[in-house]
Every structure is written in C-alpha cells, then in structure tokens.
C-alpha cells in the first residue's frame, strides 16, 4: 500500500513538472503575439503589450477564487479546470487571427491568464506538500522552475522561427503551429490528470475534521493573513515578480533606444535571452542543492548578490563595453542580466518560507499569492516611469529597493509568527 502511494506521488510530481512548463509556454506566447498585434491589427507599442498585461491582470481577478476552488474541490478538480480554461484561452487566440480582431486577441490572453493563475495555484502547494515541506518541498519547486525556464527558452525560439521576418503580412496564422501545440498539450494533460490518482491531503484533513465548524471566505482569508510571515511573504512575491520582469524589459529598452545606444534588436534580444537562460541554470543548481540548503539561506545569498550586481552596474561608466555579435555592449547591461541567477530561485524560496506552518490555510494562501503576481505588471510600470524621468540606469534603484526588501524578508520577516 505504501509502495503504491509512493509511486502515485512520483507520478503526481511528474504531472506538476509538466504543468509548470505549460505555464511559461502559454505566458511566453504573449511576447511574439505582441509583435503580431502590431503587424496584423495595427497596434501601437503600448497596445502591443496589452496582451501581456492582460495575462498578469488575470491573476488579480482569479487568485483568490482559485484558492477557494482548490480548498473546496481539491488539487485534481482545480487542475482539470485550469487546463480546460487554458485550452479555451489559446483557442480564442487562434480565433482572433481568423476574425482579425484585436479585441478577441486580448480576450484570449485574458482567459489564458486565468488558466495560468489556476495552474500556479495548484502546482506550488501540491509540490510543496508532496515534498513534505521544508527543504525537500523547496527542492521540488526549484526543479519544476527549471522546467518552467526551459519552456520559456523554447517559446521565443519557436515563435521566432514561425514568424520569420516581420512584415505587414505578419499575422496570427503564422504561429498557429505553436497555438495548436499548446491546445494539444492541454488536451493531453486533461486526459492524464483525469486518469491519475492525485493526493488530496487538504480534502482528507477536512473530512477527518468534519465535525469542526467550517470557516467562511472572510474567515479563511483572515486566518491566512493572521500569520505575519505570510503577509510579508506575499509582499515579497509581488516585488519579486516585478524584479523578474523589470530587469530584462528595461535592459531591452536601454540597449535599443534610438536616441541612446541604438543597439540592433537582434543583439539586444540575444543578451536578454541570456537572462532567461541564467534563470534556468540557477534553478537547475537549486534543484540539486535544495535538499541541503535552506530557502532562507538561498534568499539571503541571491538578494545580496542582486543588490551588488545592480548597484555596481549602475555606477559603471557606459564606456566600459564588451563585444557581442559585432556590437559594443556596455558592461553594466551584462551585470543586470546576470541577476537572472538571483531571480531563478526566489519564487520557490519565498513560497516555501511564506506557507510554513499555515496548515489548513495553505490553499487560501496560494490563492492570495496568485493575486500578488500582478506585481509583474505594476512594478515595471513604476520602473518605466522612473526611466522616463531620470533615465534607464537610475530606474534600477526601484529594483534595488525590491531586492533590499527580499533580503530583509529572508533575515527577519520570514520567521514564523
């Protein structure tokens, strides 16, 4: 019996890794879709980013409902609902090309964001539970993060090959293959999850305590928020996602600004791609050492390194350059990109620290975490505003402050209270 349970856990862990990859695959599609939106729908640069924004905003809308769905229906039901919504969302994106509608495109991105939020709500606490929490739980989340990063690396390459040279004839149909792959994977995931035995520790605990008075929505939220270390952790997640998105976005704008360095977009894109590759490397390393090195130690190390890299990069003169693909790139850009090694482990480490000791409030906490992912859309806007006012380099003070908070959280704020 115990042997079968262990086999079931291994299979469930494999499914979680698979779903982690799908999260980045679908989210990553919004980047090339923005290029297509400009060509097919005549969108401005601002409008071309609305699909990505819709993805993040969806987290704010569905984070808590997803948490309550997980609490009431369990991991399996929520995962099935998530992949179903994902199939529909990508399908709507496909239809936007047929109808030639920018509005339908945004709707597809928004619905896809719902799916990504639900998947994140499921896989993070499930992996932490399957790993038994602590270092092992963090280790599994880091391994899953490696799958996420690998998928994120593949998407732009695949989409770029499908789109080819961007012209006025570029359209959604050019990436239909990627959309069909996503829908096919969602359909396959649905069948696999439906036929699988997924552990439901929270539902089992609820059944064992059926005589207890059930808490309502407000009471459950208050219960989770009564843990101070979780509240500080939710803020840390908000800032972390902003750091992760803001670093490469502003580096790209900094390098390609026609009134500044005016580096070719292909060269700048290669350097920005290195950021995501470093995240993959960092997560692979963390997956190996995660069973021995605590989440707190990881957070202290990467937050300190992130602050150091950004501050040194900000004070280096632009005249110090490194050759890349025939272009002279300021050394500071390389230091900013190197922060990918720091951001690689932060999600899993923060989640692991924040839900420690939450017990029955873990599912609600996971939903609240998903709400805070909207920081990936808000913090970069703040950094962009600072860049407009004071310059690209000075805008990184916003991220230095965010890293400083992460360091404080690791040192003091994450203590269970």
């Amino acid at each position: 019996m115990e042997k079968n349970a262990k086999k079931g856990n291994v299979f469930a862990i494999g499914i979680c890794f698979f779903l982690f990859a799908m999260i980045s695959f679908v989210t990553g599609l919004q980047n090339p879709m923005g290029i297509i939106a400009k060509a097919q729908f005549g969108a401005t640069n601002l409008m071309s980013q609305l699909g990505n924004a819709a993805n993040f905003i969806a987290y704010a809308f569905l984070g808590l409902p997803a948490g309550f769905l997980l609490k009431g229906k369990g991991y399996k039901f929520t995962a099935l609902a998530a992949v179903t919504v994902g199939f529909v969302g990508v399908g709507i994106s496909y239809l936007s090309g047929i109808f030639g509608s920018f509005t339908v495109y945004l709707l597809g991105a928004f619905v896809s964001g719902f799916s990504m939020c639900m998947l994140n709500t499921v896989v993070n606490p499930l992996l932490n539970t399957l790993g038994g929490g602590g270092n092992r739980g963090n280790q599994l989340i880091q391994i899953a993060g490696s799958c996420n990063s690998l998928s994120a690396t593949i998407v732009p390459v695949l989409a770029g090959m499908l789109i080819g040279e961007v012209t006025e004839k570029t359209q959604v149909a050019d990436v239909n293959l990627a959309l069909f792959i996503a829908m096919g994977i969602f359909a396959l995931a649905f069948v696999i999850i439906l036929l699988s035995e997924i552990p439901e520790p929270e539902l089992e605990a609820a059944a064992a305590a059926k005589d207890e008075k059930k808490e309502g929505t407000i009471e459950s939220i208050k219960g989770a928020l009564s843990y101070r270390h979780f509240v500080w952790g939710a803020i840390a997640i908000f800032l972390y996602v902003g750091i992760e998105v803001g670093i490469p976005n502003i580096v790209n704008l900094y390098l390609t600004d026609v009134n500044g360095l005016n580096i070719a977009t292909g060269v700048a894109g290669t350097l920005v791609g290195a950021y995501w590759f470093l995240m993959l490397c960092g997560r692979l390393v963390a997956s190996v050492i995660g069973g021995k090195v605590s989440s707190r130690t990881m957070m202290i190390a990467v937050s300190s390194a992130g602050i150091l890299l950004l501050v040194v990069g900000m004070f280096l003169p632009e005249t110090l350059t490194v050759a890349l693909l025939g272009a002279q790139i300021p050394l500071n850009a390389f230091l900013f990109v190197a922060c990918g090694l720091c951001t690689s482990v932060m999600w899993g480490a923060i989640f692991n620290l924040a839900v420690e000791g939450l017990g029955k409030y873990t599912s609600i906490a996971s939903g609240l975490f998903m709400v805070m992912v909207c920081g990936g859309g808000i913090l970069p806007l703040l950094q962009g505003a600072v860049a407009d006012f004071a310059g690209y380099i000075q805008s990184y003070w916003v991220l230095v402050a965010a890293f400083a908070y992460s360091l404080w959280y690791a040192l003091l704020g994450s203590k269970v209270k």
Side-chain angles (χ1 to χ4, degrees), residues 15-201:
I15 292 173
C16 286
F17 291 167
F18 187 71
L19 293 178
F20 251 99
M22 280 307 299
I23 291 170
S24 65
F25 189 93
V26 175
T27 302
L29 278 175
Q30 299 311 316
N31 195 322
M33 289 294 283
I35 297 174
I36 293 172
K38 293 181 65 176
Q40 182 173 0
F41 307 128
T44 63
N45 285 320
L46 174 62
M47 293 171 64
S48 72
Q49 299 305 305
L50 289 178
N52 188 62
N55 244 211
F56 280 112
I57 291 173
Y59 283 83
F61 280 91
L62 202 67
L64 276 176
F68 282 108
L69 180 65
L70 176 61
K71 181 182 179 182
K73 296 294 185 178
Y75 292 121
K76 185 172 183 176
F77 182 92
T78 307
L80 288 172
V83 296
T84 301
V85 173
F87 183 91
V88 172
V90 177
I92 294 174
S93 296
Y94 165 71
L95 292 176
S96 71
I98 295 178
F99 297 138
S101 170
F102 184 68
T103 301
V104 174
Y105 156 67
L106 290 181
L107 177 62
F110 193 59
V111 174
S112 295
F114 280 159
S115 174
M116 300 309 98
C117 175
M118 294 169 71
L119 285 177
N120 262 313
T121 304
V122 172
V123 296
N124 284 285
L126 179 54
L127 273 179
N128 200 50
T129 297
L130 292 172
N135 290 357
R136 176 61 176 165
N138 178 43
Q139 185 179 35
L140 288 181
I141 294 177
Q142 298 301 345
I143 296 174
S146 300
C147 298
N148 185 279
S149 295
L150 179 60
S151 182
T153 304
I154 293 173
V155 171
V157 176
L158 174 61
M161 292 173 59
L162 293 174
I163 294 173
E165 183 180 352
V166 179
T167 68
E168 58 183 14
K169 295 183 179 180
T170 298
Q171 54 187 324
V172 174
D174 293 340
V175 292
N176 276 352
L177 177 59
L179 297 177
F180 292 155
I181 289 174
M183 286 190 286
I185 292 176
F186 275 131
L188 178 62
F190 184 93
V191 175
I192 292 175
I193 295 170
L194 183 65
L195 299 177
S196 302
E197 290 293 330
I198 305 293
E200 300 285 0

Side-chain angles (χ1 to χ4, degrees), residues 163-362:
I163 294 173
E165 183 180 352
V166 179
T167 68
E168 58 183 14
K169 295 183 179 180
T170 298
Q171 54 187 324
V172 174
D174 293 340
V175 292
N176 276 352
L177 177 59
L179 297 177
F180 292 155
I181 289 174
M183 286 190 286
I185 292 176
F186 275 131
L188 178 62
F190 184 93
V191 175
I192 292 175
I193 295 170
L194 183 65
L195 299 177
S196 302
E197 290 293 330
I198 305 293
E200 300 285 0
E202 293 193 33
L203 291 184
E204 293 170 5
K210 59 184 178 181
D211 294 332
E212 287 186 15
K213 181 180 178 181
K214 292 185 177 180
E215 290 182 318
T217 301
I218 301 300
E219 289 76 12
S220 295
I221 294 175
K222 287 182 177 179
L225 295 179
S226 67
Y227 291 84
R228 198 188 323 177
H229 72 287
F230 167 71
V231 175
W232 298 138
I235 297 173
I237 280 291
F238 176 90
L239 295 175
Y240 154 69
V241 182
I243 293 171
E244 179 187 301
V245 176
I247 289 174
N249 280 9
I250 299 301
V251 163
N252 209 8
L253 293 174
Y254 166 54
L255 296 178
T256 59
D257 191 331
V258 294
N259 297 315
L261 298 174
N262 198 20
I263 303 295
T265 55
V267 178
T270 299
L271 184 59
V272 170
Y275 171 84
W276 301 107
F277 180 73
L278 287 174
M279 284 192 66
L280 170 60
C281 294
R283 285 171 171 170
L284 288 174
V285 172
S287 68
V288 174
I289 67 173
K292 299 179 180 179
V293 181
S294 70
S295 299
R296 179 171 286 106
T297 300
M298 284 188 184
M299 279 294 293
I300 292 173
V302 299
S303 296
S304 300
I307 293 172
L308 180 63
L309 287 169
L310 290 183
V311 172
V312 172
M314 290 168 64
F315 283 97
L316 281 179
E318 287 185 357
T319 53
L320 289 177
T321 62
V322 176
L324 177 66
L325 299 177
Q328 292 297 318
I329 308 294
L331 181 59
N332 56 15
F334 285 90
L335 293 181
F336 296 154
V337 166
C339 288
L341 285 171
C342 303
T343 57
S344 62
V345 303
M346 292 178 71
W347 173 275
I350 294 172
F351 185 89
N352 185 260
L353 290 171
V355 301
E356 188 70 26
L358 261 63
K360 64 180 180 179
Y361 297 117
T362 299

Side-chain angles (χ1 to χ4, degrees), residues 3-21:
K3 188 175 181 180
N4 290 333
K6 287 184 178 179
K7 286 184 178 178
N9 280 3
V10 171
F11 196 69
I13 290 171
I15 292 173
C16 286
F17 291 167
F18 187 71
L19 293 178
F20 251 99

